[in-house]
Amino acid sequence: MKAGTRETAAALTGFTVGVTAARRREELTALLRRRGARVTEAPALRIVPLEDDAALRAATERCLAAPLDYVVATTGVGWRGWMSAAEGWGYGAALTAACRNAAVLSRGPKATGAVRACGTTETYSPASEAVDELRTWLLARDLTGRRIAVQEHGVPLPGLAAALRERGAEVVEVPVYRWAPPHDPEPVRRLAEATARGDVHALLFTSAPAITSFLEYAEEAGRYDAVVERLRGDVLALCVGPVCARPLLEVGAEPVWPERGRLGAMVHLLTAALPTRDRHLIPAADRTLVLQGNALLLNGDGNHGDSDGATEAVWLTPGSARVLRALAERPGWVVGRRELLRRVWPGQGADEHAVEAAVTRLRAALGPYAGLVRTVPKRGYRLATEPAARPTGGTR
């Protein structure tokens, strides 16, 4: 979709969202696009196929080497994948029996549902879905000599395994769905570049390893500092939960996450949070326009749609949108070209020609409202605020 393209506005129209997930990426992308967002897909990791995973098979064989006392199920998809892989290797019946003879702990309703689906009943499941509560429950028991299987999903749980071993337990870590680098790293590098430039409004993460991988690719591209600065500022980082968010918290970012770690809940939170961060009202002669992300809502009154029909949105280039945003923050005030360079293209080596080109594209996209952007000779630009007839063309 090109700049200047018009479309019917939706809740996330104007926003560009980066999606780093590998699993269920199509579902997440569809939810975002249905709400009007432009989505940049850049899987930061890939999942090692279960049937090819020698580490998972070796861990399964260790589980079957002697009776298990406790089994920890951390995710529903991970548990089902483990059982399915074991069935393919001819271990299905033996593994199911071993779990039924042990006390099974499940983290949350999805893990509980998967455990029950294979004919096993959980002994304990914390309401908070927190691994810490599973650990507390186990540490309240005598674990000396006990064998405990911990089903992981994508990332090891060293804090849990270490605590159990300190209490004398033998822990078998079951690495279901291990992460590996993406087959094509270029989309991740491009997303890091776009984030550093300020072309991305939000980044969605569904695992902590994906965050680590994304930051590593940003560092390879020489954009780590710029990306982290954006994550600490104007880019909204949305995680599936607090465990996922830890790598971002460690670099000083302030990610958000829903109360329940579900894709639908993530999209709902993003839809509520993102417009409140980047919406600017622009008074015109006959209506109030709304700049949201990189789109101008032409029936903008703070709502999507009005009595005359659906709100129309005009997409702007990222640079033009940032120029309009800078002007809209102080309507009527002159913003100099150097100030626009500093705010719109920080550290990118742009010159005043970039400002002029962005303004030209902005006026072209504004169409009949082009006169809102006024040139102040030898000083810069300002957003017109005085009452006027409906503008019919650019004003210099």
Side-chain angles (χ1 to χ4, degrees), residues 256-277:
V256 298
W257 56 83
E259 291 184 5
R260 297 180 65 81
R262 307 287 184 267
L263 294 188
M266 290 182 70
V267 174
H268 180 76
L269 177 57
L270 183 72
T271 303
L274 201 49
T276 65
R277 293 167 57 97

Short mmCIF file of all heavy atoms in Angstrom, two decimals, residues 256-277:
data_model
loop_
_atom_site.label_atom_id
_atom_site.label_comp_id
_atom_site.label_asym_id
_atom_site.label_seq_id
_atom_site.Cartn_x
_atom_site.Cartn_y
_atom_site.Cartn_z
N VAL A 256 4.63 -3.82 27.99
CA VAL A 256 3.33 -4.09 28.60
C VAL A 256 2.91 -5.50 28.21
O VAL A 256 3.39 -6.06 27.23
CB VAL A 256 2.26 -3.07 28.16
CG1 VAL A 256 2.65 -1.67 28.60
CG2 VAL A 256 2.05 -3.10 26.65
N TRP A 257 2.01 -6.07 29.00
CA TRP A 257 1.50 -7.41 28.68
C TRP A 257 0.09 -7.55 29.25
O TRP A 257 -0.26 -6.87 30.22
CB TRP A 257 2.43 -8.50 29.23
CG TRP A 257 2.69 -8.41 30.71
CD1 TRP A 257 1.91 -8.87 31.73
CD2 TRP A 257 3.83 -7.78 31.32
NE1 TRP A 257 2.50 -8.58 32.93
CE2 TRP A 257 3.67 -7.92 32.72
CE3 TRP A 257 4.97 -7.13 30.83
CZ2 TRP A 257 4.61 -7.43 33.63
CZ3 TRP A 257 5.89 -6.63 31.73
CH2 TRP A 257 5.72 -6.79 33.11
N PRO A 258 -0.72 -8.42 28.64
CA PRO A 258 -2.09 -8.59 29.13
C PRO A 258 -2.11 -9.44 30.39
O PRO A 258 -1.14 -10.12 30.72
CB PRO A 258 -2.78 -9.32 27.96
CG PRO A 258 -1.67 -10.08 27.30
CD PRO A 258 -0.44 -9.22 27.44
N GLU A 259 -3.24 -9.41 31.09
CA GLU A 259 -3.38 -10.21 32.29
C GLU A 259 -3.31 -11.70 31.97
O GLU A 259 -2.79 -12.49 32.77
CB GLU A 259 -4.70 -9.88 33.00
CG GLU A 259 -4.74 -8.48 33.61
CD GLU A 259 -6.01 -8.24 34.38
OE1 GLU A 259 -6.82 -9.19 34.52
OE2 GLU A 259 -6.21 -7.10 34.85
N ARG A 260 -3.84 -12.08 30.83
CA ARG A 260 -3.79 -13.48 30.41
C ARG A 260 -2.98 -13.57 29.12
O ARG A 260 -3.18 -12.79 28.20
CB ARG A 260 -5.20 -14.05 30.19
CG ARG A 260 -6.03 -14.07 31.47
CD ARG A 260 -7.42 -14.65 31.22
NE ARG A 260 -7.37 -16.05 30.82
CZ ARG A 260 -7.23 -17.07 31.68
NH1 ARG A 260 -7.11 -16.84 32.98
NH2 ARG A 260 -7.22 -18.32 31.26
N GLY A 261 -2.05 -14.50 29.08
CA GLY A 261 -1.15 -14.62 27.95
C GLY A 261 -1.77 -15.30 26.76
O GLY A 261 -1.44 -16.44 26.44
N ARG A 262 -2.65 -14.59 26.07
CA ARG A 262 -3.33 -15.13 24.89
C ARG A 262 -3.15 -14.13 23.74
O ARG A 262 -3.07 -12.92 23.96
CB ARG A 262 -4.82 -15.34 25.16
CG ARG A 262 -5.13 -16.20 26.39
CD ARG A 262 -4.80 -17.66 26.15
NE ARG A 262 -5.18 -18.46 27.30
CZ ARG A 262 -4.37 -18.77 28.30
NH1 ARG A 262 -3.11 -18.31 28.29
NH2 ARG A 262 -4.78 -19.52 29.31
N LEU A 263 -3.14 -14.64 22.51
CA LEU A 263 -2.97 -13.76 21.36
C LEU A 263 -4.09 -12.74 21.28
O LEU A 263 -3.86 -11.56 21.02
CB LEU A 263 -2.91 -14.57 20.06
CG LEU A 263 -1.72 -15.52 19.88
CD1 LEU A 263 -1.72 -16.08 18.48
CD2 LEU A 263 -0.41 -14.81 20.16
N GLY A 264 -5.33 -13.19 21.51
CA GLY A 264 -6.45 -12.27 21.46
C GLY A 264 -6.33 -11.17 22.50
O GLY A 264 -6.65 -10.00 22.23
N ALA A 265 -5.85 -11.53 23.69
CA ALA A 265 -5.67 -10.54 24.75
C ALA A 265 -4.57 -9.55 24.38
O ALA A 265 -4.66 -8.35 24.68
CB ALA A 265 -5.35 -11.23 26.07
N MET A 266 -3.51 -10.03 23.72
CA MET A 266 -2.44 -9.14 23.28
C MET A 266 -2.98 -8.10 22.29
O MET A 266 -2.70 -6.90 22.41
CB MET A 266 -1.31 -9.94 22.64
CG MET A 266 -0.50 -10.79 23.58
SD MET A 266 0.84 -11.65 22.70
CE MET A 266 1.94 -10.28 22.28
N VAL A 267 -3.73 -8.58 21.31
CA VAL A 267 -4.26 -7.67 20.28
C VAL A 267 -5.25 -6.69 20.90
O VAL A 267 -5.27 -5.50 20.54
CB VAL A 267 -4.90 -8.47 19.15
CG1 VAL A 267 -5.58 -7.53 18.14
CG2 VAL A 267 -3.85 -9.32 18.44
N HIS A 268 -6.06 -7.15 21.83
CA HIS A 268 -7.01 -6.26 22.51
C HIS A 268 -6.27 -5.16 23.27
O HIS A 268 -6.65 -3.98 23.21
CB HIS A 268 -7.88 -7.07 23.48
CG HIS A 268 -8.88 -6.24 24.22
ND1 HIS A 268 -10.05 -5.77 23.63
CD2 HIS A 268 -8.89 -5.77 25.50
CE1 HIS A 268 -10.72 -5.04 24.52
NE2 HIS A 268 -10.06 -5.03 25.65
N LEU A 269 -5.19 -5.54 23.98
CA LEU A 269 -4.41 -4.54 24.72
C LEU A 269 -3.75 -3.56 23.77
O LEU A 269 -3.73 -2.34 24.01
CB LEU A 269 -3.36 -5.25 25.58
CG LEU A 269 -2.40 -4.34 26.37
CD1 LEU A 269 -3.15 -3.39 27.28
CD2 LEU A 269 -1.41 -5.19 27.16
N LEU A 270 -3.19 -4.06 22.67
CA LEU A 270 -2.56 -3.18 21.69
C LEU A 270 -3.57 -2.19 21.10
O LEU A 270 -3.28 -1.00 20.96
CB LEU A 270 -1.94 -4.02 20.57
CG LEU A 270 -1.19 -3.23 19.49
CD1 LEU A 270 0.13 -2.71 20.05
CD2 LEU A 270 -0.94 -4.09 18.26
N THR A 271 -4.77 -2.69 20.80
CA THR A 271 -5.81 -1.83 20.22
C THR A 271 -6.21 -0.73 21.18
O THR A 271 -6.53 0.40 20.78
CB THR A 271 -7.03 -2.69 19.84
OG1 THR A 271 -6.62 -3.72 18.92
CG2 THR A 271 -8.10 -1.85 19.17
N ALA A 272 -6.18 -1.04 22.48
CA ALA A 272 -6.55 -0.03 23.48
C ALA A 272 -5.40 0.94 23.75
O ALA A 272 -5.63 2.14 23.96
CB ALA A 272 -6.96 -0.72 24.78
N ALA A 273 -4.16 0.44 23.74
CA ALA A 273 -3.02 1.25 24.19
C ALA A 273 -2.40 2.10 23.09
O ALA A 273 -2.02 3.26 23.33
CB ALA A 273 -1.96 0.34 24.80
N LEU A 274 -2.28 1.57 21.88
CA LEU A 274 -1.49 2.26 20.86
C LEU A 274 -2.10 3.59 20.43
O LEU A 274 -1.38 4.60 20.35
CB LEU A 274 -1.30 1.33 19.65
CG LEU A 274 -0.14 1.64 18.71
CD1 LEU A 274 1.16 1.86 19.47
CD2 LEU A 274 0.03 0.52 17.69
N PRO A 275 -3.41 3.67 20.16
CA PRO A 275 -3.95 4.98 19.75
C PRO A 275 -3.80 6.07 20.81
O PRO A 275 -3.69 7.25 20.47
CB PRO A 275 -5.43 4.67 19.47
CG PRO A 275 -5.45 3.21 19.13
CD PRO A 275 -4.41 2.60 20.03
N THR A 276 -3.79 5.70 22.08
CA THR A 276 -3.65 6.71 23.12
C THR A 276 -2.24 7.30 23.16
O THR A 276 -2.04 8.39 23.70
CB THR A 276 -3.98 6.13 24.50
OG1 THR A 276 -3.01 5.12 24.84
CG2 THR A 276 -5.36 5.50 24.52
N ARG A 277 -1.27 6.60 22.57
CA ARG A 277 0.11 7.06 22.57
C ARG A 277 0.43 7.98 21.40
O ARG A 277 1.39 8.74 21.46
CB ARG A 277 1.06 5.85 22.52
CG ARG A 277 1.03 4.98 23.75
CD ARG A 277 1.76 3.66 23.47
NE ARG A 277 3.13 3.84 23.04
CZ ARG A 277 4.20 3.77 23.83
NH1 ARG A 277 4.03 3.56 25.12
NH2 ARG A 277 5.41 3.91 23.34
#
